[in-house]
Amino acid sequence: SRVLIGGGSGFIGTALRKLLEHRGYQVTLISRTPGKNKITWDEVKKTGLPECYAVVGMQGSNILNIFRRWTDGFKKEVWDSRVETTKTLAQAISEASNPPKVWVSFSGVGYYKPSYVYDYDEDSPGGDFDYISQLATAWEEAAKLPAENTNTREVIIRSGVVLGRDGGAIKQMYFSFWFGSGGVIGDGMQFFPWIHINDLTRLVMHALENEKVTGVLNGVAPETITNWDFTKEFNTVLLRPGFFPLPRPIVNFALGEERAKMLTEGQAVVPKRTLESGFTFNFPKIKMAFDNMFSYRKWF
Ligand code: NDP
C-alpha cells in the first residue's frame, strides 16, 4: 500500500522512505518540485489526495539555516511552510472519497517552555510563550481533522533534535567537532532533547501500523541529557578535546535571539505516551546513539 510523505525528500524523510520501502510500502513524496514518485503541493490542492493507506507530514523550511537571516520574511516562510502545507493536507484528507487510515503530522519539542526544573510529558502545558512554541501550536492545530472524521487516525509526533550522520544537527556541527573546536553552548547546562533517526523512523512506522496509537507522542529518547552531556559524547567518539565553549551572545548575534533559544535553552522532555503505546527504543541512551553513528571508530 501507498504512503504519502510531505517534505519526504529531506533528512528524516529519506530515512523514512527507505524503511517504508524495505517493509514493502510504496512511497510517494509531496514536494515543491515535480519528479519521479512525487506529486506537488499544487496538485494536491487542485486534484486532492491520491489513494493511499497513510499520509505523513514533515515538510518545512529549515529553521536553523545559518545562511538565512532571522527576518520577518524568513519567519513567515518558516511558518507557512509548516502550517499552510499542513492545512492543505488536512483538508485533502477530510475531502478524500476514500480517506487514508492514518495521518501522522510532525511538530517539535519547542512546544514546551525551556526550564532547568520541569520534566515535560505529552500532557504538559506549553505552546503559547514565544514564536517557536506558537508555531508548534499552529502546526498541530492545522493538522486537526474536522470532528466528524472517524475514518482517519490522527497522530502528532513532537520531535526532539534528530541525530543521524546524514543530516540535521550532527551534519551541521560535524566540522567544528572534527576540528576539535566543538564546545558547549553557553554554560552547557540547558537540556538537550534528542532522538536517534533510526528510532524516529521506527516511531513513525509504529504509529502507522498500530491502530491503538492516537494523539501526541513525544519523539525523544528516554535518557534526558544536557548540552554538556551531548558535547562530551560527541568529542569522546571523535577523540577530540572540544575546548571552545560557544558563548551565548555570539549564538544570539549569529542566529537572532529568538531562534538562538533553540540552542541556548532547552527542555527536559519524556516520551511518556510513546512508551505507554508499546514503543521500544533501539537507542535509549546517548552513548549508544553516538557509538552507532560513528561505529567506524571500532575499526582502529
Ligand atoms: P529537511 O530540511 O531535511 O527537509 C524538509 C523538507 O521540507 C525538504 O526536503 C523540502 O522538500 C521541504 N521544504 C523545505 N522548505 C520548504 C518550503 N519553504 N515549503 C514547503 N516545503 C519545504 O528537514 P528534516 O527532515 O530535518 O525535518 C523534517 C521536519 O521535521 C521539519 O518540518 C522539521 O521542522 C521537523 N523537525 C526536525 C527536527 C530535526 O532535528 N531534524 C527536530 C524537530 C522537528 P521539497 O524540496 O521536496 O519540497
Side-chain angles (χ1 to χ4, degrees):
S1 38
R2 178 178 306 281
V3 177
L4 299 185
I5 315 177
S9 60
F11 167 49
I12 303 170
T14 301
L16 178 63
R17 179 176 55 74
K18 286 183 188 157
L19 179 60
L20 284 164
E21 286 173 350
H22 181 73
R23 301 258 184 114
Y25 290 92
Q26 281 176 291
V27 176
T28 301
L29 308 183
I30 309 171
S31 175
R32 289 165 297 174
T33 51
K36 190 167 171 269
N37 297 328
K38 278 189 188 182
I39 54 175
T40 62
W41 293 98
D42 286 337
E43 284 176 70
V44 175
K45 270 191 216 151
K46 270 190 218 123
T47 56
L49 211 62
E51 287 265 320
C52 61
Y53 163 75
V55 181
V56 182
M58 53 166 70
Q59 63 289 342
S61 182
N62 179 5
I63 303 178
L64 286 174
N65 183 345
I66 52 171
F67 302 109
R68 299 289 300 271
R69 282 183 45 237
W70 193 236
T71 58
D72 286 345
F74 183 51
K75 280 165 73 170
K76 185 170 177 349
E77 180 182 321
V78 161
W79 187 283
D80 290 351
S81 65
R82 290 174 175 75
V83 178
E84 296 307 318
T85 50
T86 301
K87 281 184 192 160
T88 301
L89 288 179
Q91 187 171 352
I93 292 168
S94 65
E95 287 170 357
S97 51
N98 189 4
K101 291 275 169 296
V102 42
W103 156 224
V104 177
S105 187
F106 270 63
S107 174
V109 293
Y111 180 87
Y112 308 110
K113 191 167 193 164
S115 163
Y116 292 99
V117 184
Y118 297 114
D119 277 351
Y120 296 107
D121 65 38
E122 292 85 347
D123 299 315
S124 302
D128 56 1
F129 53 90
D130 67 358
Y131 172 85
I132 299 290
S133 66
Q134 284 160 4
L135 170 60
T137 301
W139 195 1
E140 294 180 18
E141 280 296 316
K144 286 204 174 115
L145 301 176
E148 57 276 16
N149 156 67
T150 49
N151 303 307
T152 305
R153 196 156 47 80
E154 300 176 50
V155 180
I156 300 278
I157 295 182
R158 277 187 199 141
S159 181
V161 179
V162 183
L163 304 184
R165 278 299 298 274
D166 302 328
I170 294 289
K171 196 171 177 185
Q172 281 196 327
M173 290 188 255
Y174 185 75
F175 277 101
S176 65
F177 277 84
W178 196 87
F179 284 111
S181 60
V184 293
I185 296 174
D187 63 8
M189 287 299 114
Q190 67 277 28
F191 287 112
F192 184 88
W194 66 280
I195 184 168
H196 189 291
I197 182 127
N198 168 282
D199 279 330
L200 183 61
T201 54
R202 287 175 56 252
L203 181 59
V204 175
M205 193 65 84
H206 174 77
L208 295 185
E209 293 184 340
N210 289 280
E211 278 179 21
K212 291 203 185 92
V213 178
T214 59
V216 179
L217 300 178
N218 282 339
V220 294
E223 186 184 36
T224 304
I225 65 168
T226 61
N227 175 262
W228 193 87
D229 300 321
F230 170 82
T231 306
K232 189 186 78 171
E233 220 47 72
F234 205 163
N235 282 311
T236 303
V237 84
L238 294 180
L239 303 170
R240 296 296 189 268
F243 288 137
F244 303 104
L246 205 52
R248 261 177 202 237
I250 292 186
V251 186
N252 287 342
F253 176 75
L255 293 178
E257 199 169 341
E258 197 168 43
R259 114 174 121 156
K261 281 199 251 176
M262 295 179 81
L263 302 176
T264 59
E265 300 181 356
Q267 45 290 92
V269 183
V270 286
K272 181 164 173 274
R273 292 191 79 249
T274 306
L275 291 169
E276 283 170 0
S277 77
F279 182 74
T280 52
F281 286 82
N282 279 348
F283 303 99
K285 294 195 182 293
I286 190 68
K287 185 171 183 334
M288 299 164 82
F290 270 109
D291 283 349
N292 170 267
M293 285 188 285
F294 298 93
S295 57
Y296 62 83
R297 264 214 48 225
K298 296 194 186 98
W299 300 344
F300 47 84

Coordinates of all heavy atoms in Angstrom, one line a residue, residues 91-144:
Q91 N -7.0 19.2 4.8 CA -8.2 19.4 4.0 C -8.4 18.3 3.0 O -9.5 17.8 2.8 CB -8.2 20.8 3.4 CG -9.5 21.1 2.6 CD -9.5 22.6 2.1 OE1 -8.7 23.4 2.5 NE2 -10.6 22.9 1.4
A92 N -7.3 18.0 2.3 CA -7.3 17.0 1.3 C -7.8 15.6 1.9 O -8.5 14.9 1.3 CB -6.0 16.8 0.6
I93 N -7.3 15.3 3.1 CA -7.7 14.1 3.8 C -9.2 14.1 4.1 O -9.9 13.1 3.9 CB -6.9 13.9 5.1 CG1 -5.4 13.6 4.8 CG2 -7.4 12.8 5.9 CD1 -4.4 13.7 5.9
S94 N -9.6 15.2 4.6 CA -11.0 15.3 5.0 C -12.0 15.3 3.8 O -13.1 14.9 4.0 CB -11.3 16.5 5.9 OG -11.1 17.7 5.2
E95 N -11.5 15.7 2.7 CA -12.3 15.7 1.5 C -12.2 14.4 0.6 O -12.9 14.2 -0.4 CB -12.0 16.9 0.6 CG -12.5 18.2 1.2 CD -12.0 19.4 0.5 OE1 -11.2 19.3 -0.5 OE2 -12.4 20.5 0.9
A96 N -11.2 13.5 1.0 CA -11.0 12.3 0.2 C -12.2 11.4 0.2 O -12.8 11.2 1.2 CB -9.7 11.6 0.7
S97 N -12.5 10.8 -1.0 CA -13.7 9.9 -1.0 C -13.3 8.6 -0.3 O -14.1 7.9 0.3 CB -14.1 9.7 -2.4 OG -13.0 9.3 -3.2
N98 N -12.0 8.2 -0.4 CA -11.5 7.0 0.2 C -10.3 7.4 1.1 O -9.2 7.3 0.7 CB -11.1 6.0 -0.8 CG -10.8 4.6 -0.2 OD1 -11.0 4.5 1.1 ND2 -10.3 3.7 -0.9
P99 N -10.6 8.0 2.3 CA -9.6 8.6 3.1 C -8.5 7.6 3.6 O -8.8 6.4 3.8 CB -10.3 9.3 4.3 CG -11.6 8.6 4.3 CD -11.9 8.0 3.0
P100 N -7.3 8.1 3.9 CA -6.3 7.2 4.4 C -6.7 6.7 5.8 O -7.5 7.3 6.5 CB -5.0 8.1 4.5 CG -5.6 9.5 4.5 CD -6.8 9.5 3.7
K101 N -6.1 5.6 6.2 CA -6.3 5.0 7.6 C -5.7 5.8 8.7 O -6.2 5.9 9.8 CB -5.8 3.6 7.6 CG -6.6 2.6 6.8 CD -7.8 2.1 7.5 CE -8.7 1.3 6.6 NZ -9.3 2.1 5.5
V102 N -4.5 6.5 8.3 CA -3.8 7.2 9.4 C -3.1 8.4 8.8 O -2.6 8.4 7.7 CB -2.8 6.2 10.1 CG1 -2.1 5.2 9.2 CG2 -1.8 6.9 11.0
W103 N -3.0 9.4 9.7 CA -2.4 10.7 9.3 C -1.4 11.1 10.5 O -1.8 11.2 11.6 CB -3.5 11.7 9.1 CG -3.3 13.2 9.3 CD1 -4.2 14.0 9.9 CD2 -2.3 14.0 8.7 NE1 -3.8 15.3 9.8 CE2 -2.6 15.3 9.0 CE3 -1.2 13.8 7.9 CZ2 -1.9 16.4 8.6 CZ3 -0.4 14.9 7.5 CH2 -0.8 16.2 7.9
V104 N -0.1 11.1 10.1 CA 0.9 11.5 11.1 C 1.5 12.8 10.8 O 2.0 13.0 9.6 CB 2.0 10.4 11.2 CG1 3.1 10.8 12.1 CG2 1.5 9.0 11.5
S105 N 1.4 13.8 11.7 CA 2.0 15.1 11.4 C 3.0 15.4 12.4 O 2.9 15.1 13.6 CB 0.9 16.1 11.3 OG 1.4 17.4 10.9
F106 N 4.1 16.1 11.9 CA 5.2 16.4 12.8 C 5.0 17.7 13.6 O 4.3 18.6 13.2 CB 6.6 16.5 12.0 CG 7.3 15.1 12.0 CD1 6.7 14.1 11.3 CD2 8.5 15.0 12.6 CE1 7.3 12.8 11.3 CE2 9.1 13.8 12.5 CZ 8.5 12.7 11.9
S107 N 5.7 17.8 14.7 CA 5.8 19.1 15.5 C 7.1 19.0 16.2 O 7.9 18.0 16.0 CB 4.6 19.1 16.4 OG 4.7 20.3 17.3
G108 N 7.4 20.0 17.1 CA 8.7 19.9 17.8 C 8.5 20.2 19.3 O 7.5 20.7 19.8
V109 N 9.6 19.8 20.0 CA 9.6 19.9 21.5 C 9.7 21.4 21.9 O 9.6 21.7 23.1 CB 10.7 19.1 22.2 CG1 10.4 17.6 22.0 CG2 12.0 19.5 21.6
G110 N 9.9 22.3 20.9 CA 9.9 23.7 21.2 C 8.5 24.1 21.7 O 8.4 25.3 22.2
Y111 N 7.6 23.2 21.7 CA 6.2 23.4 22.3 C 6.3 23.7 23.8 O 5.6 24.5 24.3 CB 5.4 22.2 22.0 CG 4.0 22.2 22.6 CD1 3.0 22.8 21.8 CD2 3.7 21.7 23.8 CE1 1.7 22.8 22.3 CE2 2.4 21.8 24.3 CZ 1.4 22.3 23.6 OH 0.1 22.4 24.0
Y112 N 7.3 23.0 24.4 CA 7.4 23.2 25.9 C 8.4 24.3 26.3 O 9.4 24.4 25.6 CB 7.9 21.8 26.5 CG 7.1 20.6 26.1 CD1 7.7 19.7 25.2 CD2 5.8 20.4 26.5 CE1 6.9 18.6 24.8 CE2 5.1 19.3 26.1 CZ 5.6 18.4 25.3 OH 4.9 17.3 24.9
K113 N 8.1 25.0 27.4 CA 8.9 26.1 27.8 C 10.3 25.7 28.3 O 10.3 24.8 29.3 CB 8.2 26.9 28.8 CG 8.8 28.3 29.1 CD 7.8 29.1 29.9 CE 8.3 30.5 29.9 NZ 7.3 31.5 30.3
P114 N 11.4 26.2 27.8 CA 12.7 25.8 28.4 C 12.7 26.0 29.9 O 12.2 27.0 30.4 CB 13.7 26.8 27.7 CG 13.0 27.0 26.4 CD 11.5 27.1 26.7
S115 N 13.3 25.1 30.6 CA 13.4 25.1 32.1 C 14.5 24.2 32.5 O 14.8 23.2 31.9 CB 12.0 24.6 32.6 OG 12.1 24.3 34.0
Y116 N 15.1 24.6 33.7 CA 16.1 23.7 34.3 C 15.4 22.8 35.3 O 16.1 22.0 35.9 CB 17.1 24.6 35.0 CG 18.0 25.4 34.1 CD1 17.8 26.7 33.8 CD2 19.1 24.7 33.5 CE1 18.6 27.4 33.0 CE2 19.9 25.5 32.6 CZ 19.6 26.8 32.4 OH 20.4 27.5 31.5
V117 N 14.1 23.0 35.5 CA 13.4 22.3 36.7 C 12.4 21.3 36.2 O 12.4 20.2 36.7 CB 12.7 23.4 37.5 CG1 12.1 22.8 38.7 CG2 13.6 24.5 37.9
Y118 N 11.6 21.7 35.3 CA 10.4 20.8 35.0 C 10.8 19.7 34.0 O 11.6 19.9 33.1 CB 9.3 21.6 34.4 CG 8.7 22.6 35.3 CD1 8.9 24.0 35.1 CD2 8.1 22.2 36.5 CE1 8.4 25.0 36.0 CE2 7.6 23.2 37.4 CZ 7.8 24.5 37.1 OH 7.3 25.5 38.0
D119 N 10.1 18.5 34.1 CA 10.0 17.5 33.1 C 8.7 17.6 32.4 O 7.7 17.8 33.0 CB 10.0 16.1 33.8 CG 11.3 15.6 34.2 OD1 12.3 16.3 33.8 OD2 11.4 14.6 34.9
Y120 N 8.8 17.5 31.0 CA 7.5 17.6 30.3 C 7.1 16.3 29.6 O 7.9 15.7 28.9 CB 7.7 18.7 29.2 CG 7.9 20.1 29.7 CD1 9.2 20.6 29.6 CD2 6.9 20.8 30.3 CE1 9.4 21.9 30.0 CE2 7.1 22.1 30.7 CZ 8.4 22.7 30.6 OH 8.6 23.9 31.1
D121 N 5.8 15.9 29.8 CA 5.3 14.8 29.0 C 4.3 15.4 28.1 O 4.1 16.6 28.0 CB 4.8 13.7 29.9 CG 3.6 14.1 30.7 OD1 2.7 14.9 30.2 OD2 3.5 13.6 31.9
E122 N 3.6 14.5 27.3 CA 2.7 15.0 26.3 C 1.6 15.8 26.8 O 1.0 16.6 26.0 CB 2.2 13.8 25.4 CG 3.3 13.1 24.6 CD 4.1 12.0 25.4 OE1 4.0 12.0 26.6 OE2 4.8 11.2 24.7
D123 N 1.2 15.6 28.0 CA 0.0 16.3 28.6 C 0.4 17.6 29.3 O -0.4 18.3 29.8 CB -0.7 15.4 29.5 CG -1.3 14.2 28.8 OD1 -1.8 14.3 27.7 OD2 -1.1 13.1 29.4
S124 N 1.7 17.9 29.3 CA 2.2 19.1 30.0 C 1.7 20.4 29.2 O 1.6 20.3 28.0 CB 3.7 19.2 30.1 OG 4.1 18.0 30.9
P125 N 1.6 21.5 29.9 CA 1.2 22.7 29.1 C 2.3 23.3 28.3 O 3.5 22.9 28.5 CB 0.8 23.7 30.3 CG 1.6 23.2 31.4 CD 1.7 21.7 31.3
G126 N 2.0 24.1 27.4 CA 3.0 24.8 26.5 C 2.4 25.4 25.3 O 1.2 25.6 25.3
G127 N 3.2 25.7 24.4 CA 2.7 26.2 23.1 C 2.2 27.6 23.0 O 1.6 28.0 22.0
D128 N 2.6 28.4 23.9 CA 2.0 29.8 23.9 C 2.9 30.9 24.3 O 2.5 32.0 24.6 CB 0.7 29.8 24.7 CG 1.0 29.4 26.1 OD1 2.1 29.1 26.5 OD2 0.0 29.3 26.9
F129 N 4.2 30.6 24.5 CA 5.0 31.7 25.1 C 6.0 32.4 24.2 O 6.5 33.4 24.6 CB 5.8 31.1 26.3 CG 6.5 29.8 25.9 CD1 7.8 29.9 25.5 CD2 5.9 28.6 26.0 CE1 8.5 28.8 25.2 CE2 6.6 27.4 25.6 CZ 7.9 27.5 25.2
D130 N 6.4 31.8 23.0 CA 7.3 32.5 22.1 C 7.0 32.1 20.7 O 6.1 31.2 20.5 CB 8.7 32.3 22.5 CG 9.2 30.9 22.3 OD1 8.4 30.0 21.9 OD2 10.4 30.6 22.6
Y131 N 7.7 32.6 19.7 CA 7.5 32.3 18.3 C 7.5 30.8 18.0 O 6.6 30.2 17.4 CB 8.5 33.0 17.4 CG 8.4 32.6 16.0 CD1 7.5 33.2 15.1 CD2 9.2 31.6 15.5 CE1 7.4 32.8 13.8 CE2 9.1 31.2 14.2 CZ 8.2 31.8 13.3 OH 8.1 31.4 12.0
I132 N 8.5 30.1 18.5 CA 8.7 28.7 18.2 C 7.5 27.9 18.8 O 7.0 27.0 18.2 CB 10.1 28.2 18.7 CG1 11.2 28.9 18.1 CG2 10.2 26.6 18.5 CD1 11.4 28.6 16.6
S133 N 7.2 28.2 20.0 CA 6.1 27.4 20.7 C 4.7 27.7 20.0 O 3.9 26.8 19.9 CB 6.0 27.7 22.2 OG 5.6 29.1 22.4
Q134 N 4.5 29.0 19.6 CA 3.3 29.3 18.9 C 3.2 28.6 17.6 O 2.2 28.2 17.1 CB 3.1 30.8 18.8 CG 2.7 31.5 20.1 CD 3.1 33.0 20.1 OE1 3.5 33.5 19.2 NE2 2.8 33.6 21.3
L135 N 4.4 28.5 16.9 CA 4.5 27.8 15.7 C 4.0 26.3 15.9 O 3.3 25.8 15.1 CB 5.9 27.9 15.1 CG 6.2 27.0 13.9 CD1 5.2 27.3 12.7 CD2 7.6 27.1 13.4
A136 N 4.6 25.7 16.9 CA 4.2 24.3 17.2 C 2.7 24.1 17.4 O 2.1 23.2 16.9 CB 5.0 23.8 18.5
T137 N 2.1 25.1 18.1 CA 0.6 25.0 18.4 C -0.1 25.2 17.0 O -1.0 24.4 16.8 CB 0.2 26.1 19.3 OG1 0.9 25.9 20.6 CG2 -1.3 26.1 19.6
A138 N 0.3 26.1 16.3 CA -0.5 26.4 15.0 C -0.3 25.2 14.0 O -1.2 24.8 13.3 CB 0.1 27.7 14.3
W139 N 0.9 24.6 14.1 CA 1.2 23.4 13.2 C 0.3 22.3 13.6 O -0.3 21.6 12.8 CB 2.7 23.1 13.4 CG 3.4 22.2 12.4 CD1 2.8 21.6 11.3 CD2 4.7 21.8 12.5 NE1 3.8 20.9 10.7 CE2 5.0 21.0 11.4 CE3 5.8 22.1 13.4 CZ2 6.2 20.4 11.2 CZ3 7.0 21.5 13.1 CH2 7.2 20.7 12.1
E140 N 0.2 22.0 14.9 CA -0.6 20.9 15.4 C -2.1 21.2 15.2 O -2.8 20.2 14.8 CB -0.3 20.7 16.9 CG 1.1 20.2 17.2 CD 1.5 19.9 18.6 OE1 0.5 19.8 19.4 OE2 2.7 19.9 18.9
E141 N -2.5 22.4 15.4 CA -3.9 22.8 15.1 C -4.3 22.5 13.6 O -5.3 22.0 13.3 CB -4.1 24.3 15.4 CG -4.3 24.6 16.9 CD -5.6 23.9 17.5 OE1 -6.6 24.0 16.8 OE2 -5.5 23.4 18.6
A142 N -3.3 22.9 12.8 CA -3.6 22.8 11.3 C -3.8 21.3 10.9 O -4.5 21.0 10.0 CB -2.4 23.4 10.5
A143 N -3.2 20.4 11.7 CA -3.3 19.0 11.4 C -4.6 18.4 11.8 O -5.0 17.3 11.3 CB -2.1 18.2 12.1
K144 N -5.4 19.1 12.6 CA -6.6 18.5 13.1 C -7.7 18.3 12.0 O -7.9 19.3 11.2 CB -7.2 19.4 14.2 CG -6.4 19.3 15.5 CD -7.2 19.7 16.8 CE -6.4 19.4 18.0 NZ -6.1 20.6 18.7

